[in-house]
Amino acid sequence: AVVLGGGYIGLEVAAALVGWGAKATVVDRAPRVFPALFTPAISEKIQGIFESHGVVFRFGETPTEIAGNTGRVASVALASGDVLPARVVAVGLGATPNADLLQDQTPLAAGGLQVTEHLHLPSHKNVFAVGDVCAFPNSHPLFGGKVQR
């Protein structure tokens, strides 16, 4: 299997795949695991854990084509010219949430839809929002109730 994206979702999928006995190759444009979150030493440790379970990483790579025949995926082509065989392709490339969609309906905070501690919109008690599009109060003592996304 080829997993496109080496973030949280991509690594979770890769872990599940190798846990089920499949081979998994993670393709990511980044130079290493979680470069924006961790130091190189911590990234190396995380990568090593995954590799010890059989996950293969292809960093600095960009997929250019997912090819197949008779309705089934067969391979993933990379910008480097390499072609990875694949019977399964999982895509976990992320997205940019669009909170502006509801800006006239509910308050925005910290660049997201403001939700209560129960994840519903303050202006619409029967409408819930979850995920990266939300800004919620964090009651942990370190954050002091600050709204964060």
Side-chain angles (χ1 to χ4, degrees), residues 41-124:
I42 293 172
S43 291
E44 184 177 308
K45 184 75 169 171
I46 293 168
Q47 180 179 340
I49 292 168
F50 278 82
E51 288 175 336
S52 73
H53 291 280
V55 175
V56 173
F57 288 92
R58 297 289 301 261
F59 293 115
E61 295 276 15
T62 302
T64 57
E65 179 182 26
I66 297 173
N69 52 41
T70 62
R72 295 178 184 218
V73 67
S75 63
V76 175
L78 305 177
S80 64
D82 290 346
V83 177
L84 306 176
R87 292 179 53 203
V88 173
V89 176
V91 181
L93 298 175
T96 302
N98 184 0
D100 296 336
L101 193 64
L102 296 174
Q103 68 182 350
D104 296 333
Q105 303 295 318
T106 191
L108 300 181
L113 298 175
Q114 184 174 341
V115 296
T116 69
E117 65 276 6
H118 301 291
L119 301 178
H120 63 75
L121 302 180
S123 57
H124 298 81

Side-chain angles (χ1 to χ4, degrees), residues 11-25 50 52-56:
L11 292 183
E12 281 291 325
V13 170
L17 287 165
V18 297
W20 295 326
K23 294 180 180 179
T25 299
F50 278 82
S52 73
H53 291 280
V55 175
V56 173

